[in-house]
Amino acid sequence: MTLVVVAVVLLVAWFVLHALTPADVVAKTKNRPDRIPVVVGVAEQVDAPNLLSAIGTVQAFNSVLVRSRVDGALEKVVFQEGQYVHAGDLLAQIDARPFEAQLHAVLAQKAHDESQLANVERDVERYTYLASQKIYPQQQLDGARAQAAQLKATVAMDQAQIDNARIQLGYTSIRAPIDGLTGARLVDAGNMVHATDTNGLVLITQVHPIYVSFTLPQDALPALLSERQRGTVTVIASNRDASQVLDQGALSLIDNQIDPSTGTIHCKATFKNGREMLWPGQFVSLKVVLAVQHDAVTVPSTAVQQGENGTYVFVVSQDQTAELRKVAIGPTNDGQSVVEQGLSKGDRVVVEGQFKLEDGSPVSAVDHPHRSH
């Protein structure tokens, strides 16, 4: 019996000494359930733009409420609602007959006055000769000359009335003042329209090009002015959740004063809007491109943590442990942060699950399925 016990003890001792090698111990340790599961991303080296984000409101480049400039009956409306029109296109027609009659009247009055002027001028010629021969009194010659001058002024006034009548007649044809899109028709044919009407006939908005109005913090002004001095400042417009780029334009206005109540400065960007993705009144997400940092190391912004001693990330080493590494962070845009110091291209950083980590914590790492945007 004693021999059996001794044999068992020796067998257990041999198993402990020979069956578990150091490599086996490490392998078993790595598979222990106390490893912290994390998701990792890779530091990439790319050209990273320095962007300013803003929310903007799309505004028509020009907007004109078309009104009648004369009083009359609206005979016809020739435009279609939502139609694109060019400057000078006929939109509506007012009954022109009263204005034509007025034009004929002033034309006739001018002909009458010109006839009288011609008769007086002939008298002046005769009286001038007779006065030179001392046959006709100088006083009567002066009176004839004064009458001729009065009639010349009358003819000139008649011409002014003719010009005005022609202008009024031209106003009976209501034409588009700008290129743009027509809105809803505000008056139907058959109605009386007046020059004093406030509602107008139709609103025309110019959408090629188009403005986007937005504000930026006053702290961004030095960088904004510096970039504008170097050349055109690019502005990218996207839909409200920034999932789709709508158009790319250029900064066209930096207002000449900061709003003291909000600490912001008003800006405008101009877009060609060739695809008509921007519409007056629309809210859009904007990115103002200040500069491009070439070959910058970037990581997903979720990897960056803020602690008492500054900014840091957890880097997963080859032995599957987390290393706390201090970093200097630059611009952050579209879910990616530029790391100015502390990381190199290819470093694996924890993007999810880092809240349970400490420096040296064993981890079970899974690669991030895609880069954040």
Side-chain angles (χ1 to χ4, degrees):
M1 185 65 178
T2 302
L3 293 175
V4 173
V5 172
V6 172
V8 171
V9 171
L10 291 174
L11 182 61
V12 172
W14 182 90
F15 180 81
V16 171
L17 292 175
H18 300 282
L20 293 179
T21 66
D24 293 331
V25 173
V26 172
K28 288 181 177 295
T29 302
K30 286 186 179 181
N31 295 322
R32 288 187 315 180
D34 59 351
R35 282 190 169 272
I36 302 173
V38 294
V39 178
V40 297
V42 179
E44 299 180 349
Q45 196 168 27
V46 297
D47 291 341
N50 183 11
L51 306 177
L52 293 175
S53 299
I55 297 296
T57 304
V58 181
Q59 297 177 344
F61 198 82
N62 286 299
S63 181
V64 178
L65 180 60
V66 179
R67 295 185 175 94
S68 173
R69 303 180 70 172
V70 294
D71 299 346
L74 189 62
E75 283 189 334
K76 59 182 178 179
V77 176
V78 299
F79 70 90
Q80 298 293 325
E81 295 178 318
Q83 174 186 352
Y84 191 88
V85 295
H86 296 281
D89 287 352
L90 182 65
L91 301 177
Q93 183 67 51
I94 295 175
D95 184 5
R97 291 174 297 178
F99 301 93
E100 291 171 346
Q102 181 64 29
L103 176 59
H104 294 325
V106 293
L107 285 170
Q109 183 63 45
K110 181 185 178 184
H112 174 268
D113 294 337
E114 284 178 336
S115 176
Q116 285 189 325
L117 173 61
N119 184 54
V120 172
E121 285 178 337
R122 286 192 296 269
D123 288 344
V124 170
E125 290 178 1
R126 289 192 295 267
Y127 296 160
T128 300
Y129 173 75
L130 293 175
S132 66
Q133 301 299 317
K134 306 298 183 181
I135 300 174
Y136 196 79
Q138 183 66 37
Q139 183 178 1
Q140 293 186 5
L141 174 60
D142 292 342
R145 286 174 175 171
Q147 186 179 6
Q150 290 177 354
L151 287 172
K152 284 182 181 180
T154 301
V155 170
M157 184 172 63
D158 292 339
Q159 183 60 51
Q161 291 178 342
I162 290 171
D163 294 340
N164 182 65
R166 284 176 173 157
I167 291 173
Q168 299 300 309
L169 178 60
Y171 287 159
T172 60
S173 297
I174 301 175
R175 300 184 180 275
I178 60 171
D179 294 349
L181 289 171
T182 61
R185 185 175 66 251
L186 303 177
V187 180
D188 296 328
N191 285 281
M192 289 293 297
V193 293
H194 306 85
T196 57
D197 291 342
T198 58
N199 58 330
L201 277 73
V202 65
L203 179 68
I204 298 178
T205 56
Q206 183 179 353
V207 295
H208 305 120
I210 204 165
Y211 281 133
V212 176
S213 177
F214 60 100
T215 59
L216 290 172
Q218 63 180 9
D219 295 339
L221 184 58
L224 201 62
L225 293 174
S226 176
E227 187 65 22
R228 189 176 66 171
Q229 289 175 354
R230 286 196 291 266
T232 301
V233 180
T234 301
V235 181
I236 302 170
S238 305
N239 56 355
R240 291 192 64 178
D241 61 2
S243 61
Q244 179 187 8
V245 174
L246 303 178
D247 203 353
Q248 179 172 308
L251 185 70
S252 54
L253 169 68
I254 301 175
D255 210 346
N256 56 7
Q257 61 181 352
I258 294 172
D259 186 344
S261 62
T262 61
T264 59
I265 186 164
H266 176 233
C267 301
K268 279 186 178 181
T270 303
F271 297 83
K272 292 182 179 179
N273 199 28
R275 298 183 299 156
E276 294 187 355
M277 300 292 286
L278 301 175
W279 214 249
Q282 178 183 7
F283 289 100
V284 293
S285 176
L286 297 177
K287 298 291 186 183
V288 182
V289 183
L290 293 184
V292 176
Q293 187 173 346
H294 298 286
D295 296 328
V297 176
T298 64
V299 295
S301 299
T302 53
V304 181
Q305 303 296 307
Q306 187 70 39
E308 296 179 356
N309 297 322
T311 307
Y312 65 93
V313 298
F314 282 105
V315 179
V316 177
S317 60
Q318 292 184 352
D319 63 356
Q320 295 296 292
T321 58
E323 174 194 348
L324 189 151
R325 190 178 298 179
K326 293 182 179 180
V327 291
I329 298 298
T332 297
N333 293 291
D334 294 334
Q336 293 292 119
S337 296
V338 174
V339 181
E340 296 178 343
Q341 291 180 358
L343 288 179
S344 301
K345 177 183 178 182
D347 285 343
R348 301 173 71 210
V349 296
V350 178
V351 297
E352 294 180 19
Q354 61 267 59
F355 302 108
K356 297 181 180 180
L357 297 180
E358 297 178 355
D359 190 21
S361 297
V363 297
S364 175
V366 176
D367 289 335
H368 197 281
H370 62 276
R371 175 182 170 180
S372 299
H373 289 277

